[in-house]
Amino acid sequence: MLFKLAILSSLLALVASRTHLTDCLDENKYCVGLPRGCVGTACIVAFSSVSNGTHTDIEIFGNDILDKTWLAIAYSADKQMKDDFVVFCIRDDKGTDINDIEEMGGLAYNGYHSNEMIGTVKNMKKDGSDKYGFRMEMVEYEKEEKTLYCKMTHRVEPVIDHFNMTKVEILMSKGVFIKGSLTYHGKTRNNVGIVDLSGEKKHKKKNSASDSLVLLSSAITFIAAKMFF
């Protein structure tokens, strides 16, 4: 086990200066890449979430993300998109100011066959359109030739109160961003699991070989997805 941890430590040190990816070794953090089990350029999208009970930090990463594209996760009570909060990140090379990252992400709401744009982080602060009280912040934003990475934070209370539950389904999708709107995602929607927004800490047995292998595999998979694009 010590040998495996040494390898992982070396890998983390290698990519520390090259990536914004945060620590997926944290057992309280949810990390996933799609398709599941993917490594490196085989990953189409990746997502992480960790909550302290009042706020959650999320990371959204996508490969093959070209200009005029949105990439998003949706909080839902089920696997259907009929009543969902959508946290999105956009790539709009000419229509946005790369130096103002608050223009690069925001919030929308999906009803039954409808989408309501609530606003970018910047607009919600400026015009008071944050009617649900997410108080969203864009922490980091990075785009390369065909990749997009966003790290955001927001309050969890609006999600928990809306669905009356702390454990919610996460749906992930992408689509075309036109005239400030999120167009229909088509067949790009994927269910990426359930996250717990309560902030309750998990309790696991120490020195568990199986747990160490799971964490090692998850961390390497997610790090590789960001490292090799």
Side-chain angles (χ1 to χ4, degrees):
M1 185 175 72
L2 291 176
F3 177 70
K4 293 185 179 68
L5 291 176
I7 293 176
L8 181 57
S9 297
S10 298
L11 178 59
L12 287 170
L14 176 65
V15 302
S17 62
R18 300 175 59 187
T19 179
H20 292 293
L21 186 65
T22 51
D23 190 8
C24 279
L25 277 178
D26 184 348
E27 64 185 21
N28 296 294
K29 185 172 185 175
Y30 182 82
C31 295
V32 64
L34 292 179
R36 292 182 183 275
C38 66
V39 176
T41 56
C43 289
I44 301 171
V45 293
F47 164 74
S48 77
S49 172
V50 61
S51 171
N52 63 11
T54 62
H55 291 76
T56 184
D57 291 336
I58 66 172
E59 292 172 301
I60 304 174
F61 176 82
N63 187 29
D64 196 24
I65 305 296
L66 306 178
D67 189 20
K68 302 294 183 184
T69 298
W70 60 263
L71 180 65
I73 60 104
Y75 294 106
S76 182
D78 51 39
K79 293 181 174 64
Q80 305 299 316
M81 296 192 76
K82 297 180 180 179
D83 176 25
D84 316 285
F85 288 119
V86 178
V87 178
F88 65 86
C89 185
I90 63 173
R91 178 167 192 155
D92 187 6
D93 294 343
K94 294 182 180 179
T96 54
D97 180 2
I98 186 63
N99 296 314
D100 189 353
I101 63 174
E102 290 189 342
E103 291 187 3
M104 305 302 176
L107 182 69
Y109 173 77
N110 273 352
Y112 188 68
H113 295 310
S114 66
N115 177 269
E116 175 193 358
M117 172 63 74
I118 296 172
T120 63
V121 174
K122 182 175 182 177
N123 287 342
M124 286 191 290
K125 290 181 178 181
K126 184 178 179 180
D127 59 22
S129 57
D130 184 15
K131 58 185 178 181
Y132 296 102
F134 271 69
R135 298 178 190 171
M136 189 176 294
E137 297 286 348
M138 179 70 82
V139 180
E140 294 182 49
Y141 177 92
E142 181 181 330
K143 64 179 180 181
E144 300 295 340
E145 183 178 357
K146 290 187 178 180
T147 62
L148 181 65
Y149 169 85
C150 295
K151 183 176 181 180
M152 309 166 80
T153 183
H154 66 77
R155 295 176 63 242
V156 300
E157 186 177 2
V159 181
I160 294 173
D161 288 351
H162 184 80
F163 298 117
N164 195 29
M165 59 179 68
T166 59
K167 296 181 180 180
V168 293
E169 295 277 354
I170 298 295
L171 309 172
M172 197 167 187
S173 60
K174 67 177 182 178
V176 180
F177 185 72
I178 299 177
K179 295 181 179 180
S181 298
L182 311 182
T183 62
Y184 180 56
H185 52 70
K187 296 182 179 180
T188 67
R189 188 187 75 188
N190 291 278
N191 175 261
V192 294
I194 297 174
V195 298
D196 186 354
L197 299 177
S198 69
E200 182 178 349
K201 301 299 182 183
K202 296 178 181 178
H203 300 285
K204 293 187 177 182
K205 295 181 180 179
K206 294 182 179 180
N207 301 322
S208 168
S210 61
D211 285 353
S212 297
L213 289 174
V214 170
L215 289 172
L216 179 67
S217 176
S218 298
I220 291 177
T221 296
F222 199 72
I223 291 169
K226 189 72 173 76
M227 174 181 174
F228 294 112
F229 289 138

